[in-house]
Amino acid sequence: MNNEISIWNGYPVHGEIKELDRIIESEGLITLDKDDVVNVLSAEGESHVTSGVNSKLGEAFNEAVNALPCKVDKVEELLIDFRFGNRQPDMSEFSSITDSLSGANPDINIMWGITSDESLGDSYKVVLVASVKA
């Protein structure tokens, strides 16, 4: 896990802040914008950016979640950027992931987007931007 703290638009963030720029520069099936990112970064707690890449969407998501410094029940705000290469995932895969998060933490506020990234080939990438309770 990249635990280095960097500053992105005045917000201290643990992790790879270049992913934040990619999120706001991407247009997709469901697009996230700078306001969505700032909403998470301005919430109380520490801000973290993690990611996972895998040939299965659920596994890519699990890699990103496992890179967080805590369990999901400590996350207040969560932005999920789902990226796909050659294979567009089924909407039920997204719903399954967000439903499992809500089940683990009913108070979590989740925003998510879906974008295409040809560089991924047959893989998926999931980027999480999380506000974690201290």
Side-chain angles (χ1 to χ4, degrees):
M1 175 177 76
N2 179 354
N3 203 28
E4 182 179 320
I5 298 176
S6 301
I7 303 298
W8 183 86
N9 285 358
Y11 296 97
V13 180
H14 296 266
E16 185 55 60
I17 62 171
K18 290 179 184 178
E19 293 293 356
L20 301 174
D21 292 327
R22 287 187 193 116
I23 289 170
I24 63 173
E25 292 168 359
S26 299
E27 291 193 26
L29 303 174
I30 299 175
T31 302
L32 297 163
D33 61 21
K34 185 175 180 178
D35 289 341
D36 296 323
V37 172
V38 168
N39 185 52
V40 175
L41 299 181
S42 63
E44 286 189 42
E46 292 185 340
S47 298
H48 293 267
V49 177
T50 63
S51 64
V53 178
N54 198 290
S55 62
K56 295 180 181 176
L57 182 64
E59 291 300 315
F61 174 77
N62 288 338
E63 287 177 20
V65 167
N66 290 335
L68 288 171
C70 63
K71 294 191 183 290
V72 174
D73 65 344
K74 299 289 186 198
V75 176
E76 292 185 1
E77 301 280 335
L78 183 65
L79 181 146
I80 310 170
D81 183 32
F82 294 104
R83 300 180 193 164
F84 64 92
N86 301 329
R87 297 179 296 138
Q88 184 174 333
D90 187 88
M91 286 304 286
S92 65
E93 292 178 88
F94 300 113
S95 296
S96 175
I97 289 170
T98 56
D99 288 349
S100 69
L101 283 170
S102 295
N105 181 354
D107 297 325
I108 195 169
N109 182 28
I110 303 171
M111 294 173 278
W112 51 285
I114 306 168
T115 58
S116 174
D117 180 348
E118 292 178 5
S119 72
L120 290 172
D122 289 335
S123 294
Y124 300 97
K125 183 171 188 174
V126 176
V127 178
L128 302 179
V129 182
S131 173
V132 177
K133 296 177 196 173

